[in-house]
Structures are given as C-alpha cells and as structure tokens.
Amino acid sequence: MPAALGFATIALFLLLTMTRRVSVLVALVVLPVLAALAGGFAGELGGMVLDGLSKVAPTGIMIAFAVLYFSLMVDAGLFDPLIRGLLRMAKGDPLRVTVATAVLTLCVALDGDGASTFLITVSALLPVYRKLGMSPLVLSGVVCLGAGVMNMIPWGGPTVRAMAALKLESSDVFTPVLPAMGLGIAWVLVASWLIGRRERRRLGALTGPGGETAAGEPVAAAAPAPGDGPGAVRVAAPVPRWLTVFNLLLTVVLLVALILEVMPLPVLFVLGFAVALLVNHPSWEQQQALLDRHAKNVVLVTTMIFAAGVFTGVLTGTGMIDDMAEALVSVIPDSVGGHLPVLVAVTGMPLSLVFTPDAYYFGVLPVLAETAHGFGTDPAEIARAAILGQMTTGFPLSPLTAATFILVGMSGVQLGEHQRFIFRWAFATTLVMTAGAVLTGALSL
C-alpha cells in the first residue's frame, strides 16, 4: 500500500506540474498530505512535515543568502568583465553563447556543489541571454547538462553517497568511469552546439557589422540584473576600483571556503553576504533598497525548497520511499540479473525524478548491489552505474532536490517547461556515458 501510494503521488505530481495544471509549490505540499491521509497517517502528519522542513532548513537558509550575495555582486558589476568577454567572443551569436555557457558551467562545477554552480553561472549569464533575446530555457538546460556530468567528481554528491553506502574507495567507483565522464563532457559540448544552432535559427544570426543583434540592438549595452523585468536595462553607477577588487577577493575567499568546507555552507553565505552588504552599501537606506529589490527572487526559490521538504518528509516518514525501493527491486527478473549494471545506469536518470539522493543511494543502491552480487556481479559496478545516471544527469531535473529550484527559480522558467526541454538531452548524456563505460570495461554487459 505505501509503495503504491508513493508511486501514484510521484506520477500525479509529474503529470500535474508538467502539464501546468497546478503550481509546483501547491503540488509539493498538497499531494503528499493527501497521500498520507489516504494511507492512514493523519496522526503522524505534523511530525513528518516538521521533520522534512527541518532537514531542508539549512539548504533554504543557504540559498536565501546565496541569492542575495550573488545578486549584490551582479549589481556591483563583478561579473561585467565576464559578460563583456562572453559577448565579445560570441559576437551576439546565440550558438557561441550557448557553447560558452556549457564551458563556463563545466569549469564552475568543479567545486562539486550544484547549488553554487547554478548561482554563479545563472547570475553571470542571465543578463547576456536577456540582452540577446535568447530563451532562458536554453540557459537552464545547458547549465543542467554541464553540472550533471561534473557532479560525478569524487567530492560530488552522487559519488560520495555511492562510496559511503557500499563502503568503497574512489579508485573502485570513480577512476574506472573517468573515460566515460570524458565522453559525457564531449557530448555536453556537442549538445550545447546543437541547442545553440537551433536557438540561432530561432532568433536569426547577426546582421549588423557593428555587433548588432537581429533586432538591431547593440550587444555591448548594459545588461539587466537578475531581479529586473524582461527587457530591462540596468544603468549602474560607476563602481570604485577598490570596491571591485574587494568584491572579487571576497568572492574568491568565499568559494575556497565553500570547497574546503571551512564552515557549514549556510554560515559561510550568511557571513559573506553581511560583509558584502556592509562594505558595498554602508547606509541603512541602501541596504534596505537592495533587500527590497531582490526579495522576490529569494521568496520564489526558498518557498520551493521548503515545499520540497514537506514532500520528501511525508514520503520518507510514511515509509513510502522504502517500500518503493523494495518493490522496484522485486520486479527484476532473473533473466536480466547479469545485465543489472547497464540496467541500473540506464534507469538511474529517470529514477532521479522518483527518489531523493539519500533514498536512492542509501535505500535502493545497497539492495541493488546485493542483488547483483547474487548474480556474480561486483557491487562496485553497480555503484559506477548509479553515478552515471541517478542524480548525475538527473539531479538538475528532479523535483526532489533543492538545487533544481535554484536553477529554475533564478532562470525564471517553470519546472515542467525545463523538464520537457532538456529531459531527452540529459537522458542522451546518460546513454553516451553508459556506452563509454561498457566499451572501456567499467561496466559489464
């Protein structure tokens, strides 16, 4: 019963949100509550919801202050040199901008944290997309692809969870799939080129020799900030050079501290934003104006995160997630047992829409590994297969991960639109890497 309720809840959620029948926030809260009531968990509902909210609270705090921090830096012009460099390189060509988006994402994502990757890349690139009239779905989609592949690095979430769940080393899990990861990176660049070519056809190539877009706008004009409306042009006051240097150093120190985990991520962003706000806007009036200007962005993203906490809290507390994992394994026939690694890799990406990262790696993966061991397959192969799909190419699409709502919230796109736009490209990434893993012997067929 709990497994059936869980699968029905997930399916109904995907149906309602992808067809835009209800908002994601409403679906995240209402559907699991109805499922819990139907399953007879009314008396425990309050505790489960509170537990889910408590678990995502640190993420919500981090995102709120991270959005404010990077919004402040965009307003201060910290990313303007990067934007101008991209515009000069792209020359207003949507295809070049799209490929540059992929390259930038692949570099930024080396920190292994999807949230910070989305915050940095979207903050830097959204003004470029708006200026050129490009679809924000292209931005969210290409960032999704790049961040997904780079999430395989040993300090990224999937690999860390897989190693912890099966008590394996990086040399057992990550090293054998390095060639496959290389193919994945190559595919992301190819996919971004194809997506960019399609966007170029939609908008039209450059027509003016002086660097004008098809609409006749000079591409070097000031870019809008993330909080501005579509088509808005940000007219920023000149920023003193010492302040730009301070902001750059502060951002570098913050990123290094994030990578080294000097303090918990929420604490780092709270402290970083407080310092940046005090130095960049020393007066109360200036500080209040900045908070007012970016309050909408903060509310849109954080409310989604807390709503996702309700969703996962109820599904976990009712036991739906555990029963769904057992039901999934029980339907695997003996005839496909020997092909389990490839099956895990191919199905991992779609399953990221159903299972949270912790639920999959600490609930489903050990059962799959034990099942594979019974068929004579090394459990390390199952771990490799899992990181090729589940929460690697799937995490920037899943409604069960907070980072997804950072990406779609800051890009200004609907979750269902984002999923429809990039799902096939992300799934193709999994297939490419799986094929590479089979060819290089990392997975047995």
Side-chain angles (χ1 to χ4, degrees):
M1 179 66 174
L5 273 176
F7 283 119
T9 302
I10 297 286
L12 190 57
F13 172 84
L14 294 174
L15 175 64
L16 292 177
T17 55
M18 293 184 74
T19 58
R20 302 182 69 177
R21 299 294 179 88
V22 298
S23 70
V24 174
L25 189 147
V26 170
L28 284 170
V29 174
V30 173
L31 291 179
V33 169
L34 292 177
L37 294 175
F41 297 97
E44 306 159 53
L45 184 59
M48 291 186 291
V49 170
L50 190 59
D51 184 57
L53 290 173
S54 300
K55 288 183 177 178
V56 300
T59 301
I61 295 168
M62 180 196 74
I63 298 312
F65 284 92
V67 169
L68 288 172
Y69 180 88
F70 286 109
S71 297
L72 185 156
M73 291 303 168
V74 169
D75 285 357
L78 180 63
F79 298 108
D80 284 356
L82 174 62
I83 293 169
R84 287 194 296 268
L86 283 171
L87 288 172
R88 281 196 300 268
M89 181 191 70
K91 298 179 181 177
D93 184 355
L95 188 153
R96 295 186 183 184
V97 171
T98 307
V99 174
T101 301
V103 173
L104 181 63
T105 304
L106 291 169
C107 295
V108 174
L110 281 169
D111 69 352
D113 181 64
S116 62
T117 297
F118 299 152
L119 287 165
I120 295 169
T121 53
V122 175
S123 295
L125 294 171
L126 185 59
V128 178
Y129 275 70
R130 283 177 168 167
K131 185 60 195 172
L132 297 178
M134 295 177 64
S135 170
L137 284 171
V138 174
L139 173 59
S140 66
V142 173
V143 170
C144 163
L145 294 179
V149 171
M150 294 305 293
N151 209 30
M152 288 175 62
I153 55 180
W155 52 90
T159 307
V160 167
R161 288 185 179 92
M163 292 188 297
L166 301 184
K167 298 177 176 59
L168 299 170
E169 300 294 331
S170 176
S171 58
D172 300 319
V173 180
F174 177 71
T175 305
V177 297
L178 262 174
M181 182 179 177
L183 285 177
I185 291 173
W187 164 252
V188 167
L189 296 175
V190 171
S192 65
W193 185 85
L194 294 171
I195 294 171
R197 187 177 63 172
R198 186 174 63 184
E199 186 70 357
R200 174 201 274 171
R201 285 200 300 265
R202 187 181 73 85
L203 295 174
L206 286 174
T207 57
E212 296 181 342
T213 63
E217 295 183 81
V219 297
D228 298 335
V233 175
R234 176 170 57 88
V235 181
V239 179
R241 181 167 178 78
W242 72 267
L243 186 56
T244 300
V245 173
F246 171 83
N247 287 335
L248 178 60
L249 290 175
L250 179 62
T251 301
V252 170
V253 169
L254 177 60
L255 292 177
V256 171
L258 289 170
I259 295 171
L260 298 179
E261 297 185 358
V262 175
M263 292 183 183
L265 269 60
V267 176
L268 289 172
F269 273 115
V270 168
L271 295 177
F273 174 68
V275 172
L277 183 61
L278 180 62
V279 175
N280 284 266
H281 303 283
S283 71
W284 181 88
E285 291 79 9
Q286 291 175 330
Q287 294 170 4
Q288 194 63 34
L290 182 131
L291 293 172
D292 290 342
R293 186 159 62 251
H294 298 292
K296 179 181 178 182
N297 289 340
V298 174
V299 170
L300 286 175
V301 176
T302 54
T303 52
M304 288 294 185
I305 290 171
F306 285 109
V310 176
F311 193 86
T312 56
V314 172
L315 264 63
T316 302
T318 56
M320 293 182 194
I321 291 288
D322 292 337
D323 286 3
M324 289 164 67
E326 293 178 8
L328 183 66
V329 174
S330 67
V331 299
I332 299 176
D334 293 342
S335 59
V336 300
H339 307 290
L340 201 54
V342 172
L343 183 64
V344 169
V346 172
T347 59
M349 187 264 174
L351 287 178
S352 67
L353 302 177
V354 179
F355 293 102
T356 65
D358 289 338
Y360 185 85
Y361 283 103
F362 297 114
V364 178
L365 186 60
V367 180
L368 290 173
E370 187 62 30
T371 304
H373 184 66
F375 288 103
T377 301
D378 186 353
E381 282 196 47
I382 300 299
R384 296 171 205 153
I387 68 171
L388 289 173
Q390 216 286 333
M391 303 315 300
T392 298
T393 54
F395 92 93
L397 285 161
S398 174
L400 303 179
T401 55
T404 301
F405 296 104
I406 303 171
L407 177 60
V408 298
M410 293 194 67
S411 301
V413 300
Q414 296 291 327
L415 176 61
E417 293 175 337
H418 170 68
Q419 290 172 327
R420 289 193 300 271
F421 179 82
I422 206 64
F423 181 90
R424 62 184 182 276
W425 297 99
F427 190 51
T429 308
T430 293
L431 296 180
V432 168
M433 292 195 296
T434 300
V438 171
L439 292 174
T440 57
L443 295 183
S444 58
L445 184 60

